[in-house]
Amino acid sequence: MLVLGIETSCDETAAAVVDDGGWVRSDVVRSQVALHAPYGGVVPELASRDHMRGVTLVIAEALRRAGIGWEGVDGIAVTARPGLSGALLVGTQVAKGLAWARDLPLVAVDHLVGHLLAVFLRRASEQPPLPLPSYPFVALLASGGHTAIYRVDGPALGSIHELGATRDDAAGEAFDKVAKAIGLGYPGGPIVDRLAAKGDASQFPIPLPMARADSLEFSFSGLKSQMARYIAEHGRPETEADTANLCAGFQRAVVTSLVSKTMRAARRENVRSVVLSGGVAANRELRRAAALACEQAGLALFVPPFASCTDNAAMIAYAGAQRLVRGERDDLGFSVATRTALTRVTRKGGGPRTAHLPGGTAAERK
Ligand code: KG4
Ligand code: ZN
């Protein structure tokens, strides 16, 4: 089965053709980074308008690169949540129109499920082919909008359970905000990653956020404020070496927090495999630290290639294909939503931290 995926939830207009076994036939991403860069973050109205300009071109290009016409498409999958409402509406309305006009089955996909299943995408360019995990696994999803740890027992929404999430900012958001405070540009993650590689984290030690031993929750806003306070007191670093050390110290704190909680979750859930996903999984120190921690714990680590970590439509097509092959369809009346449909255990904001052992173990939940 060949599925056309469409993704417009944030600042990438993307379309891809993927088969139900995860083989990527085409994967087209039209980034809006240049459009939003002057504002230091995504401007929702600009995002929607640019999706309108690009979406049909991107879809046509995805079909062309896959070498198929409409007769080769067996179904359509589109991101319906979570994301910016206006942006999501562009992709879903186009998908509904195409499904109706071409009489094709349509499924709405949760963007986070797409990220969590991106590890199953297979690209002919990967030689030798990357190994694939088997269920169940524990996955860290760290992106610009979300940061959480999940237990994944299968591809369906009901088989994916949040174990803990950030109480405030997402990890990618922290990278972006700190880069902005240092004056590095947008999006900050890849820039901080590059600079941190040349820096020395020990020159700028930062206390770990939410280090409580039994917690699977994250907090990144304190870290961000700490960086902002440092810059307010000392000014922006003047030399490239100081900037690199600052980036390295910040990145070390984020990565240590992400990895230690993911490992804690894997131990608690008694799984053999750990998966990284979302844009922040492109971070090289995160990949290195997770590989080391998994090796020491005797666990297998699976990390998608860069193109599968950041926003793309191939992961949406694959997640949708898993529903379409089971005969599932959504009627054209579905709406978009700003929140994920996945179960959540972490409450955002302050208050007592009661969700540190959310829902008991997987065995207890069943
Ligand atoms: O998954 P994604 O493409 O979009 C969302 O769903 O949010 O993630 C984008 C986020 C941005 O915050 C970006 O700064 C971050 O991922 N990111 C990185 C790296 N590459 C992208 N963060 C740290 N290191 C990177 N190499
Ligand atoms: Zn994403």
Side-chain angles (χ1 to χ4, degrees), residues 178-251:
V178 165
K180 193 173 175 180
I182 307 177
L184 294 177
Y186 166 87
I191 306 172
V192 171
D193 184 346
R194 214 169 38 247
L195 284 166
K198 297 185 221 152
D200 176 1
S202 67
Q203 297 296 313
F204 196 81
I206 297 179
L208 278 192
M210 298 279 293
R212 238 176 79 161
D214 55 355
S215 168
L216 293 179
E217 297 184 335
F218 302 103
S219 168
F220 296 111
S221 73
L223 198 59
K224 175 193 68 189
S225 312
Q226 214 176 317
M227 300 290 290
R229 257 198 316 275
Y230 177 86
I231 290 162
E233 278 168 29
H234 300 89
R236 286 175 175 173
E238 280 168 14
T239 66
E240 187 170 326
D242 286 347
T243 310
N245 292 342
L246 201 65
C247 288
F250 163 76
Q251 180 174 275

Side-chain angles (χ1 to χ4, degrees), residues 7 9-10 12 111-112 115 141 143-146 278-279 309-312 315:
E7 154 66 43
S9 67
C10 189
E12 260 93 27
H111 182 83
L112 303 191
H115 273 304
L141 197 179
S143 72
H146 304 272
C309 288
T310 47
D311 281 352
N312 65 85
M315 66 187 193

Side-chain angles (χ1 to χ4, degrees), residues 157-353:
L157 262 178
S159 308
I160 303 176
H161 297 277
E162 186 191 285
L163 304 174
T166 177
R167 294 174 65 89
D168 39 60
D169 291 353
E173 192 179 354
F175 270 99
D176 295 339
K177 287 179 176 168
V178 165
K180 193 173 175 180
I182 307 177
L184 294 177
Y186 166 87
I191 306 172
V192 171
D193 184 346
R194 214 169 38 247
L195 284 166
K198 297 185 221 152
D200 176 1
S202 67
Q203 297 296 313
F204 196 81
I206 297 179
L208 278 192
M210 298 279 293
R212 238 176 79 161
D214 55 355
S215 168
L216 293 179
E217 297 184 335
F218 302 103
S219 168
F220 296 111
S221 73
L223 198 59
K224 175 193 68 189
S225 312
Q226 214 176 317
M227 300 290 290
R229 257 198 316 275
Y230 177 86
I231 290 162
E233 278 168 29
H234 300 89
R236 286 175 175 173
E238 280 168 14
T239 66
E240 187 170 326
D242 286 347
T243 310
N245 292 342
L246 201 65
C247 288
F250 163 76
Q251 180 174 275
R252 176 67 49 85
V254 175
V255 164
T256 307
S257 169
L258 292 174
V259 172
S260 66
K261 304 222 166 175
T262 304
M263 299 309 292
R264 188 174 299 156
R267 273 195 303 276
R268 197 193 84 180
E269 295 295 315
N270 202 18
V271 296
R272 307 305 317 150
S273 303
V274 172
V275 167
L276 301 185
S277 61
V280 180
N283 186 271
R284 289 168 300 168
E285 188 176 340
L286 175 62
R287 288 167 171 246
R288 250 192 325 271
L292 186 66
C294 283
E295 196 190 318
Q296 285 169 349
L299 300 175
L301 177 71
F302 299 86
V303 191
F306 293 115
S308 300
C309 288
T310 47
D311 281 352
N312 65 85
M315 66 187 193
I316 303 303
Y318 178 76
Q322 304 316 298
R323 294 190 55 204
L324 287 164
V325 289
R326 290 198 298 269
E328 292 178 31
R329 278 135 189 53
D330 288 316
D331 70 40
L332 298 185
F334 72 80
S335 353
V336 301
T338 54
R339 296 183 151 219
T340 179
L342 291 172
T343 59
R344 297 199 307 186
V345 294
T346 292
R347 278 183 306 116
K348 295 253 168 176
R353 288 165 185 157

